[in-house]
Amino acid sequence: MAVTRTFSIIKPDATRRNLTGAVTKMLEEAGLRVVASKRIHMTRDQAEGFYGVHRERPFFNDLCTFMTSGPVVVQVLEGENAVQRNRDIMGATNPANADEGTIRKSYAESIEANSVHGSDSDENAKIEIDFFFSPDEIVG
Ligand code: CMP
């Protein structure tokens, strides 16, 4: 299995509750290595650009407001089959549907305040990593 990279966000509901370490521990215990990490306050432009694919969805405005409501931690994660591995440990988007032992089951407050984001494909992982990181910020 190839070692690949994925992009992760620890969302404002999690940073507000001081869960950055707890979430990162679950990512690491799932076999992912944090090869880049920074705590930022996303601008409205960044949120709207990052979630541009959801622009027509009814939750788009609320989602952008939520993502700019407090600090987030953006990360690049590396590991075997990183995209799927991260999705497995995150759990379902709606925490009501997330499996026991996943980050969202453990910590998410709602479908919007669902504690973490993770890329859904290798192609999108590259786009999302490039959106927030320059190559020199990633140290594998
Ligand atoms: P994320 O993985 O960051 O990708 C898009 C986000 O939109 C998702 O997590 C949720 O936080 C949010 N989202 C998805 N579906 C809904 C929904 N039906 N209502 C509100 N927010 C949603």
Side-chain angles (χ1 to χ4, degrees):
M1 190 93 53
V3 172
T4 58
R5 288 178 175 173
T6 190
F7 175 75
S8 167
I9 306 176
I10 302 176
K11 296 188 178 184
D13 66 286
T15 61
R16 176 169 46 76
R17 287 174 289 153
N18 208 21
L19 293 171
T20 297
V23 170
T24 301
K25 184 169 191 274
M26 290 180 77
L27 296 171
E28 290 179 339
E29 285 177 351
L32 293 159
R33 179 178 296 270
V34 180
V35 295
S37 182
K38 58 187 173 188
R39 183 175 170 103
I40 62 169
H41 199 132
M42 230 186 249
T43 64
R44 184 89 196 178
D45 272 0
Q46 280 178 313
E48 289 183 357
F50 182 78
Y51 281 119
V53 63
H54 296 304
R55 190 169 290 277
E56 304 305 325
R57 307 286 286 274
F59 58 81
F60 178 71
N61 256 312
D62 285 350
L63 175 62
C64 292
T65 299
F66 166 65
M67 291 301 289
T68 57
S69 68
V72 301
V73 178
V74 290
Q75 296 179 319
V76 181
L77 308 175
E78 190 174 86
E80 283 187 6
N81 203 11
V83 167
Q84 190 57 48
R85 194 174 282 256
N86 187 37
R87 293 181 72 75
D88 289 347
I89 190 60
M90 283 196 302
T93 303
N94 187 343
N97 302 326
D99 290 339
E100 288 294 337
T102 62
I103 294 169
R104 285 167 170 161
K105 179 71 175 183
S106 302
Y107 297 124
E109 296 180 320
S110 66
I111 191 169
E112 178 180 87
N114 63 356
S115 299
V116 281
H117 165 83
S119 309
D120 63 4
S121 66
D122 286 342
E123 186 188 7
N124 283 335
K126 180 170 173 25
I127 293 168
E128 294 178 357
I129 289 168
D130 290 346
F131 193 91
F132 284 104
F133 289 97
S134 57
D136 63 304
E137 292 177 304
I138 304 169
V139 183

